[in-house]
Amino acid sequence: DWVGSLDVRYHFFEDFVLDPFLEAGVGSAGRVDISAYEEYGLPTGDNPLQLSLFGQVGAGLAVRLPGFHFGGRLLWRAFNEVPPATQFQPYPLKGFRFDLFGGFSL
C-alpha cells in the first residue's frame, strides 16, 4: 500500500513561535497485492489492484522552538477517483485525516 502527495504550504508568520499554515496538494494512493494465495490454499484478496488520484486541502498549527518543531494538521480530501480510462478499483481513503508531526529545524 502507498499514499503519497505533493503539497504546497503557506505559512503566515516566519519568525513566531506559533506557526499557523494552510496547504493544498494532489496525490496518489494504491495497493498491489501479488501474494501467491492459491499456492497455500488461501482465499484471494477482494481487490488485488487499487489506484486512486486525490486532491486535498488542509490547515495546521506548528510550534517552533529553537532547533525543534512539532504540531498537527487536519486534511480534507476533496476527491478520490480512479485514473480515467482504467479498470482499477478506488483505494479506500477516508475523507478527513489528522496528522501529528515533529522534527528538527535549523
Side-chain angles (χ1 to χ4, degrees), residues 39-63:
E39 285 185 29
Y40 300 103
L42 300 171
T44 58
D46 293 338
N47 296 313
L49 298 173
Q50 296 175 326
L51 182 63
S52 289
L53 302 176
F54 63 88
Q56 61 189 18
V57 293
L61 179 66
V63 177

Side-chain angles (χ1 to χ4, degrees), residues 13-36:
F13 306 115
E14 279 189 36
D15 297 322
F16 194 62
V17 174
L18 294 178
D19 180 18
F21 61 90
L22 296 175
E23 70 178 77
V26 293
S28 170
R31 169 181 295 142
V32 177
D33 188 356
I34 57 173
S35 301

Side-chain angles (χ1 to χ4, degrees), residues 44-105:
T44 58
D46 293 338
N47 296 313
L49 298 173
Q50 296 175 326
L51 182 63
S52 289
L53 302 176
F54 63 88
Q56 61 189 18
V57 293
L61 179 66
V63 177
R64 286 196 240 181
L65 302 173
F68 183 72
H69 63 272
F70 62 93
R73 68 179 182 167
L74 179 64
L75 296 172
W76 172 59
R77 295 207 168 104
F79 67 89
N80 179 33
E81 304 291 332
V82 296
T86 65
Q87 296 181 2
F88 291 107
Q89 296 295 318
Y91 189 80
L93 291 171
K94 303 288 185 188
F96 287 91
R97 178 183 175 103
F98 180 73
D99 296 321
L100 296 173
F101 60 85
F104 299 101
S105 51

